[in-house]
Amino acid sequence: MLIVMNANATQGDIDGVVRAVESLGFRPHVMPGATRTAIGVTGNQGAVDLSHFENLPGVGEAIRVTKPYKLITLDLRPERTIVDVGGAKIGDGSLAIIAGPCAVESRKQAFAVADVVQRSGAKFFRGGAFKPRTSPYAFAGLGEEGLKILAEIRDEFDLKIVSEALDETNVDLVEKYADMVQIGARNMQNITLLRRVGRSSLPVLLKRGMAATLEEWLLAAEYVMAEGNYQVVLCERGVRTFAQHTRNTLDLAAVPAVRRISHLPVIVDAAHGTGRSYMVTPLSRAGVAVGADGLMVEVHARPDEALSDGAQSLTLDEYEQMVKEVRAIHKVIA
Ligand code: PEP
Ligand code: MN
């Protein structure tokens, strides 16, 4: 259920509705908007009797939600959500660039990339300390040591740190060192992990599962929000298809499709979305053109020596050039 307050409802009216929802054992999610506040109600198994709320002071209307989602929708929040990552914004109309190596391999390797990322004007640095690898024998990341390097980069370069958590214990560590927690494609439907980051104070970057429908992806975001964390950024990173010329098929139609339903920001990862470095710049340009709030991109000083995802990593020069090109496109469409 969704309770829409009148434009002139007072804080007291809102508090009254919150108490009424809680007294029934449900959870209220208060979403203030430009013209009115809406309150999403979760925790009810069946339909709730709307008459509990309709006559409370300040209530405009109580609406039964027939869609599978409650909190991610434009019905609840018609304005776009702006996600605050340690003071840097995603979804505010600027182009958010999250760049860095697939994995943090060493201090030297990560610092070399961070220097170029900072000079490009990007505000976000990515780097995996915990890597979900297909093979159990592949490099799986430096763990907490990698996060410590990322925290140094945050201090040295004033970049906001985005890093992946594979499990709940990882989340505790990422919270200690980073500014945003990434949930990877392989974990998009790891329900306990989604619930855990839903209770985190960090914003969440939620990648689309490689075989996830739009609805499944949005419901994963709904899991995070239902726990009270409304700071979620969606990341399209390609899905598995029969195509053999790419690692994944980057589904750029997901960007307008998300926009039509949700207030959450959505970004495009053309690195995992193609798996081929020569495609990353053209598809990043396309991602901006299609209206993404930002880009994620993998960068390495020596891609051929990278311990993971070298084939899709841009060199430092290629990255600098890509940023110039995507900024030019963003300027035109913004
Ligand atoms: C990554 O960002 O390095 C990563 C593992 O991405 P995905 O979860 O999209 O495969
Ligand atoms: Mn990667």
Side-chain angles (χ1 to χ4, degrees), residues 101-103 126 128 130-133 164 182-187 205 207-208 210 235-238 247-248 269 272-273 296 298 308-309 312:
C102 178
R126 62 148 290 149
F130 302 100
K131 296 304 305 176
R133 303 307 300 278
E164 179 168 355
Q182 176 174 324
I183 299 299
R186 291 155 191 80
N187 271 316
L205 182 72
K207 290 199 148 193
R208 180 181 181 182
M210 59 187 84
C235 179
E236 163 59 37
R237 48 78 72 207
R247 178 182 181 188
N248 293 292
D269 171 356
H272 296 86
M296 173 171 266
E298 290 186 334
S308 71
D309 284 349
Q312 65 193 36

Side-chain angles (χ1 to χ4, degrees), residues 203-265:
V204 177
L205 182 72
L206 180 63
K207 290 199 148 193
R208 180 181 181 182
M210 59 187 84
T213 63
L214 181 70
E215 184 170 309
E216 288 163 344
W217 186 23
L218 293 173
L219 284 170
E222 185 81 23
Y223 261 104
V224 178
M225 293 188 73
E227 292 294 326
N229 188 349
Y230 310 135
Q231 296 277 287
V232 181
V233 175
L234 299 163
C235 179
E236 163 59 37
R237 48 78 72 207
V239 289
R240 182 66 62 84
T241 69
F242 54 79
Q244 291 176 329
H245 58 291
T246 51
R247 178 182 181 188
N248 293 292
T249 296
L250 188 65
D251 176 17
L252 290 176
V255 176
V258 166
R259 288 259 187 271
R260 203 176 171 86
I261 300 173
S262 180
H263 51 82
L264 295 174

Side-chain angles (χ1 to χ4, degrees), residues 281 284 295 297 314 318-326:
T281 296
S284 296
L295 299 171
V297 61
L314 297 182
E318 286 167 347
Y319 167 74
E320 286 185 307
Q321 179 60 26
M322 183 217 72
V323 171
K324 282 187 197 134
E325 294 178 17
V326 296

